[in-house]
Amino acid sequence: MHMPSDSWGRLGSSRELKEYAVQYVGREELGFIPIDDDELVDSQDGWNDFFKQPIPTPMSQIDTMKHLLEGLQVPVKNPKTGEEDHVDINLVNKIVIDSEYVEDMLNNTKVKIDINLEGDKEKSEVHVVASSQVFGNLKEIMTLQQFEEVLSKTINELKDQRLESAEEFKAILNRLVNQFIEENRADNKHFAKIEQEYELKNGVGIIRDIQTNQDVGTFETLSYEYDRNRRTASMEGIILSGRTYKELEEKDRFEFAYYSLDHNTVYSLIAEKGAVVTVNADEDAYDAERYSLIIDPFSSEHERYQTVLNAQQLKDSVTSIDSDHPLYDEKIQVFRQARLDLLEESRKKQKQEQLVNQFADIDLF
């Protein structure tokens, strides 16, 4: 299990495997007659290019794989055979792990994060190292026993036999990538992991009619996801005032700004002319694909911070009771009215600002 992960199940296609087999197992034990090392070549013919002449019944790929596992270090029991499998910590760096990718949410460029394994023989540890020219390096440490258990599970239980598919290893990769994202968010640099859905519920959204510069709605959650070819966003829990769901279909007209208490960030989305917009009045939802995005910091000094904090506390009081509770309907009405009051308060403030600006333009002398 010291082979590149993309070659598991195709034993014989990797030069490293051939060299490993010779070094740790021996050519004759594998059932082949060797040729000189300087004649080593790589091709699809596999072992036949490495060994001059196979005996009539050469060792199968599976048998060879088992042979490579024998007689090394620290065992893990194979659940199928009951035999003990082993890992040579000096060779964990031979396992090739697929790179992770994140996308810069503002300029829509992808950033590659390389994943490598390093063995520490003295401490009996395996280091999972994530590195990027943009982010630098991060690592998470597994004990050798933990790594062996995950590796054994990968080989014996997973069809694709890839470490990246093992839940325990996948969790480590997610933690490393999320750490990169969180550390950069503090510096107002924003990334999203490819093919992972983010759902923001701790905060409140405001819908602004750009044409009239009025706040005309609220929403409770923002979900977004970036995949290889597109990016999507969904707003749910919409409450409108003075506008219809049909009007929300107009592109380049409405700004959806979500004030996230978790990310300390304001995400402002506007559906572009080329966007795909879906509005569902029955579910109070709005979906957009291909949109422009503006991201700003949202700290306790922000003029709307206390308003958003109060709005979230009210939401918590509603979601904390069951829909069968006798006070549920009453709570919902209070909640809805509070959202409408928030919009009315915003409209009054906007009118006051307009009046101030109007009189500021008058020359009194």
Side-chain angles (χ1 to χ4, degrees), residues 199-206 218-223 235-239 257-262 306-322 328 331-332 334-339 342:
E199 184 178 16
L200 304 179
K201 300 187 289 186
N202 191 24
V204 70
I206 303 293
T218 64
F219 58 100
E220 302 306 320
T221 65
L222 166 65
S223 301
M235 282 63 78
E236 297 183 352
I238 293 175
I239 296 175
Y258 193 81
Y259 298 80
S260 172
L261 294 169
D262 286 335
Q306 191 58 48
T307 299
V308 173
L309 198 61
N310 294 339
Q312 179 60 40
Q313 290 173 349
L314 179 59
K315 179 164 51 178
D316 290 339
S317 70
V318 173
T319 56
S320 64
I321 63 174
D322 190 81
Y328 180 77
K331 283 275 190 179
I332 288 294
V334 171
F335 172 81
R336 182 176 179 82
Q337 187 59 51
R339 292 297 188 259
L342 188 156

Side-chain angles (χ1 to χ4, degrees), residues 159-171:
K159 289 183 178 180
D160 62 0
Q161 295 185 322
R162 300 181 70 83
L163 272 176
E164 302 91 316
S165 299
E167 291 300 324
E168 299 88 344
F169 195 79
K170 188 186 302 182

Side-chain angles (χ1 to χ4, degrees), residues 180-223:
F180 278 134
I181 291 173
E182 290 170 8
E183 289 180 355
N184 278 270
R185 190 183 295 129
D187 295 330
N188 202 30
K189 299 175 183 177
H190 299 270
F191 300 88
K193 188 175 186 295
I194 300 296
E195 298 177 347
Q196 176 175 314
E197 183 180 24
Y198 294 85
E199 184 178 16
L200 304 179
K201 300 187 289 186
N202 191 24
V204 70
I206 303 293
I207 305 172
R208 182 172 67 94
D209 187 332
I210 299 173
Q211 291 181 2
T212 61
N213 192 30
Q214 288 184 329
D215 293 338
V216 297
T218 64
F219 58 100
E220 302 306 320
T221 65
L222 166 65
S223 301

Side-chain angles (χ1 to χ4, degrees), residues 237-238 245 279-286:
I238 293 175
Y245 281 95
V279 181
N280 191 325
D282 294 332
E283 297 183 3
D284 300 320
Y286 176 99

